[in-house]
Amino acid sequence: MTRKTAADLRSHRWFGKDDFRSFGHRSRAKQAGFSAEDIAGKPVIAILNTWSDANPCHMHFKMRAEDVKRGIWQAGGFPMEIPVLTLGETFMKPSTMLYRNLLAMDAEEALRAYPADGVVLLGGCDKTVPALVMGATSANLPTIFVPAGPMLRGNWRGQILGSGTDAWKYWDEKRAGLLDDCAWREIEDGIARSFGTCMTMGTASTMAATVDALGLTLPGASSIPAADSSHPRMASAAGRRIVDMVWEDLKPRDILTTEAFENAVTAAMALGGSTNAIIHLVAMAGRAGAVLDLDRFDALSRRTPFLANIRPSGKFLMEDLYYAGGLRGVLDRLRDLLHTDCLTISGRTLGEEIEGALVSNDAVIAPRAQPIGPEGGVAVLRGNLAPDGAVIKHTAAERRLLQHAGPAVVFKNYNDLAARIDEPSLPVTAESVLVLQDAGPLGGPGMPEWGMLPIPKKLLQQGVRDMVRLSDARMSGTSYGACVLHIAPESFVGGPLAFVRDGDIIELDVPARRLSLRVTDEEMARRRGSWTPREVAYPRGYGHLYARHVTQADKGCDFDFLEGTAPIGEPEIH
Ligand code: FES
């Protein structure tokens, strides 16, 4: 392997030359308190930090950035921490998905504009993971991802609580009149116990695992709980490794091949991962020049057994997964379904990195001979209601609903739903199919996580806890139920979902991967003819840019001008 020399470093253009601008850069490094010995000839390692008071999942990133710096100094690098936009899933409205591409742009442009030779990405809360990876892939500098890690298990009156999943569950109990205010407040106190990401197999856990399976983290890093002392040790090890990666010139596009993305999908399916992973992985693959579409996703899901018994599809939480053997244990049990020759950031193959992984608890990570389910958690549906596809997390739904036909109860947007869902006069039964329109990438806008439509109160009181629900929205990875999501094209742009009316019969057939509307083509054409598109909500600003360039769900919702691998030149320094 040929190694770079100091003169080959990208940062050499800033610090190594004998000219006026380099004088300025060196003098400003000294202004920050660094002497010539601190920086001369060393790789500059950017640490893109998504720490913020607005993101409780990242509260430990101030400390972790210091852990990463410790490793960088030890290995002979020069750390440069750069704050970037954070996407705090719980506080940011209308949806963090609206801003995923903004963080991706922030990350890419920060890396291009500053003298970075390599980068450590600090992210974890849902969209921060794909956004940082998308930006770093487009910048294509040596990259390591340090995942925030899951928070500790929640606790209430001796019961284990899982993020999101148990909030939805007990909220339904409260709406059904089975839980009092005191108990509800205790759950509020106990469900989010530490810094770190949601500890169910929600979007954060899923995306961290996929980035791990892609080979962009230290092996198994995604499973380490945020509050475990292994976590800062992992962070400083990442700091040491990134310096070597710069000298080796090992870059994201050397790692992010089509085969690596297939490994990531396989991992997500075996974990019962979030449906959001589909959108993000398609977008990430688009930045790497890899090939991944919905049909390949479905094919991989069909042949991958569901092994990780984690909520919302299973029983345990991320802490249990870590103790049982973590992602390396899961991957080792999938070895024959993986491209084990894929390169990882360690410079070794995925197969080498999972060698010797042990599983200590088969109840959490099921053996191949006794999987929790024969196939992966997500199915891709097509039909006259979703010509470009839709998805369902069928492992998190009541099985009786996976083949179901019923009359539609249509809500034209979320406000309409909120106003009417609990009306005693709503003409709805347990057999009905709830339909939400205008909640997609443009309609939401930002494709909010509204896809787990609430069960009408009167049905809750009858004991109904799941029913078929349809939308062009997304769903939190911690959510559950027979919810068909990501219907494309979305209703806002005139997809068939826009023309569904109350009483239309909708047929869902997950084994056949079909979603159908029993309305004739002639009648659909008639409804389309009388349809008036709604105005885009943003006359100016970022939303205006978003509305002009965001792609549909089946294409990953990236901006069309950010896709691909066309090279962009280095900035001029004069
Ligand atoms: Fe941050 Fe779930 S809210 S990971």
Side-chain angles (χ1 to χ4, degrees), residues 75-99:
F78 180 81
M80 183 179 280
E81 186 178 348
I82 303 172
V84 288
L85 175 70
T86 203
L87 308 176
E89 188 65 30
T90 40
F91 296 148
M92 196 174 210
K93 306 296 174 193
S95 159
T96 50
M97 189 64 188
L98 183 65
Y99 297 105

Side-chain angles (χ1 to χ4, degrees), residues 222-364:
S222 62
S223 309
I224 304 172
D228 193 291
S229 65
S230 294
H231 200 270
R233 284 183 266 130
M234 176 271 292
S236 65
R240 287 189 291 275
R241 174 60 195 148
I242 188 64
V243 177
D244 266 343
M245 282 177 70
V246 171
W247 295 124
E248 294 165 12
D249 201 25
L250 179 55
K251 299 194 287 291
R253 288 197 197 129
D254 302 326
I255 295 168
L256 299 178
T257 59
T258 297
E259 290 74 22
F261 277 97
E262 294 195 348
N263 286 343
V265 174
T266 301
M269 294 302 95
L271 293 168
S274 163
T275 45
N276 282 323
I278 299 182
I279 294 179
H280 298 320
L281 286 171
V282 167
M284 289 156 63
R287 297 296 190 100
V291 179
L292 181 65
D293 61 22
L294 291 189
D295 291 332
R296 189 67 189 134
F297 215 105
D298 192 67
L300 292 167
S301 180
R302 281 179 191 262
R303 63 117 214 225
T304 305
F306 171 34
L307 299 182
N309 194 3
I310 311 295
R311 297 180 203 185
S313 295
K315 179 174 164 201
F316 297 97
L317 294 173
M318 287 301 292
E319 210 177 326
D320 306 298
L321 182 74
Y322 180 57
Y323 302 142
L327 183 71
R328 289 178 69 245
V330 176
L331 294 180
D332 192 48
R333 291 197 158 173
L334 297 168
R335 186 175 273 272
D336 58 305
L337 300 179
L338 298 171
H339 303 283
T340 51
D341 55 347
C342 282
L343 191 61
T344 73
I345 53 108
S346 68
R348 295 165 15 116
T349 65
L350 181 69
E352 290 172 319
E353 290 299 356
I354 60 177
E355 191 67 50
L358 292 176
V359 174
S360 60
N361 189 342
D362 286 349
V364 179

Side-chain angles (χ1 to χ4, degrees), residues 55-58 87-90 124-126 151 163 196-199 203-205 478:
N55 195 333
C57 304
H58 294 183
L87 308 176
E89 188 65 30
T90 40
C125 189
D126 285 28
M151 68 175 102
S163 310
T197 51
C198 293
M199 73 317 230
T203 304
S205 300
T478 63

